[in-house]
Amino acid sequence: MSNNCYNEHIASGGNGDDGNGHSHSHSHTHGSHNHDHAPPPIPTNPSQSLNSKIATTRLTALNLTNPQNELPKLFKSFDDKYSIKPEFKSDADNQLIIRIPFNAVTVKLYSIILRTNSNSDNCPRVIKLYKNNDHLDFDSTDSTKHTYEIEHPEIGFAGSSNSDDDVFVNDDEFVEHFLPRHLFSNVTDLSIFFQNNWTDDDDENLIIYSLELRGEFKELTKDPIITMYESAAHPADHKNILKDSFKNNLSID
């Protein structure tokens, strides 16, 4: 099934969600999804990448084992695109929230590109995106309407980050999720909720290696503030004006 088909499937409600944020569809087994045929993303045009527009000092994540100050390394540059270190792992269970603010721009998102671990226990499945909601947390995910929902296939790095090698070049491990652009215009921040894994096992942890955002951006500009002053002068000023005009020592009370 192609990546676009996955997006259409999840948008139509075919995610097996029971309404409580947990999927109970266990009919799949690893290797039976035919996900390995999803085409890899085309190389990024520098003008399409939004990673450089992210306010990295304000990035935050909930339920992440990594230190918060390590988060900018998730949004890899072209030079370290294929690095698997550091890996980003959820902490207590199989859920993760990443909040991404943008720096003095509004963006129109075209797609997000993920490189995850392909193991069923560690690979995210249902991913919900929230536009311009910088206060999202796990308590509010059920009561807050998401902007869009996608299903991530079991595609990604199959090895271990404990390897002595830091770099593994394989474009087939990256998945691009195309987004409806009309829903993601005028975005100032994006929250991504990784809801579960493919085994739906709460005791397992999600593993993500990189995240890239593609789209276009517009610089934020502030309109000049024009203050209109009242044209009427103070009464005392009128007295002085009349004295200067007539210069006849007229006493004005």
Side-chain angles (χ1 to χ4, degrees):
M1 186 181 296
S2 70
N3 190 36
N4 286 333
C5 291
Y6 271 103
N7 290 346
E8 293 170 2
H9 169 71
I10 205 72
S12 64
N15 63 345
D17 198 309
D18 65 359
N20 295 316
H22 297 281
S23 172
H24 295 284
S25 176
H26 298 286
S27 60
H28 299 291
T29 58
H30 181 59
S32 65
H33 307 291
N34 202 28
H35 292 166
D36 56 339
H37 296 296
I42 61 172
T44 299
N45 183 321
S47 64
Q48 292 180 325
S49 178
L50 296 173
N51 283 13
S52 63
K53 302 302 176 183
I54 295 171
T56 54
T57 58
R58 294 190 285 119
L59 280 167
T60 57
L62 304 180
N63 195 39
L64 181 69
T65 59
N66 308 61
Q68 294 289 311
N69 61 9
E70 207 170 56
L71 268 172
K73 297 179 180 178
L74 177 62
F75 303 87
K76 292 180 168 59
S77 66
F78 177 80
D79 292 336
D80 60 4
K81 170 182 176 180
Y82 296 104
S83 174
I84 61 165
K85 295 182 180 179
E87 70 174 14
F88 291 83
K89 183 184 294 186
S90 62
D91 189 6
D93 54 25
N94 60 352
Q95 294 190 335
L96 179 65
I97 292 177
I98 300 176
R99 301 172 182 152
I100 308 170
F102 294 100
N103 195 15
V105 296
T106 60
V107 307
K108 178 183 286 187
L109 282 173
Y110 295 170
S111 64
I112 64 172
I113 299 173
L114 287 166
R115 189 188 198 187
T116 67
N117 192 286
S118 62
N119 184 289
S120 300
D121 285 333
N122 308 121
C123 184
R125 181 181 180 184
V126 175
I127 303 173
K128 294 179 179 179
L129 307 179
Y130 298 78
K131 168 186 170 181
N132 299 344
N133 187 331
D134 59 357
H135 293 92
L136 186 76
D137 56 27
F138 293 109
D139 292 333
S140 61
T141 53
D142 286 339
S143 59
T144 305
K145 181 175 176 56
H146 56 273
T147 309
Y148 195 63
E149 184 173 319
I150 58 180
E151 184 173 274
H152 184 73
E154 290 178 86
I155 293 177
F157 179 64
S160 169
S161 63
N162 294 326
S163 168
D164 292 335
D165 295 326
D166 292 348
V167 178
F168 290 85
V169 180
N170 189 346
D171 287 319
D172 291 337
E173 295 173 357
F174 295 80
V175 177
E176 182 170 17
H177 295 282
F178 295 94
L179 306 177
R181 299 183 186 183
H182 69 284
L183 294 181
F184 289 95
S185 59
N186 298 317
V187 180
T188 56
D189 60 78
L190 178 72
S191 294
I192 304 179
F193 173 37
F194 298 86
Q195 182 171 300
N196 55 14
N197 51 14
W198 273 95
T199 56
D200 207 26
D201 188 344
D202 292 342
D203 293 329
E204 298 294 341
N205 307 99
L206 302 179
I207 297 177
I208 303 171
Y209 301 105
S210 69
L211 197 162
E212 181 183 348
L213 304 175
R214 286 183 179 176
E216 61 185 66
F217 67 92
K218 181 171 62 174
E219 301 286 348
L220 286 176
T221 58
K222 293 184 178 179
D223 294 330
I225 299 175
I226 301 174
T227 304
M228 301 299 294
Y229 292 96
E230 189 177 3
S231 59
H234 191 274
D237 296 331
H238 285 285
K239 295 181 180 181
N240 294 330
I241 293 172
L242 287 173
K243 286 180 179 179
D244 291 339
S245 297
F246 291 104
K247 298 183 184 297
N248 57 2
N249 295 320
L250 178 65
S251 177
I252 301 176
D253 295 324

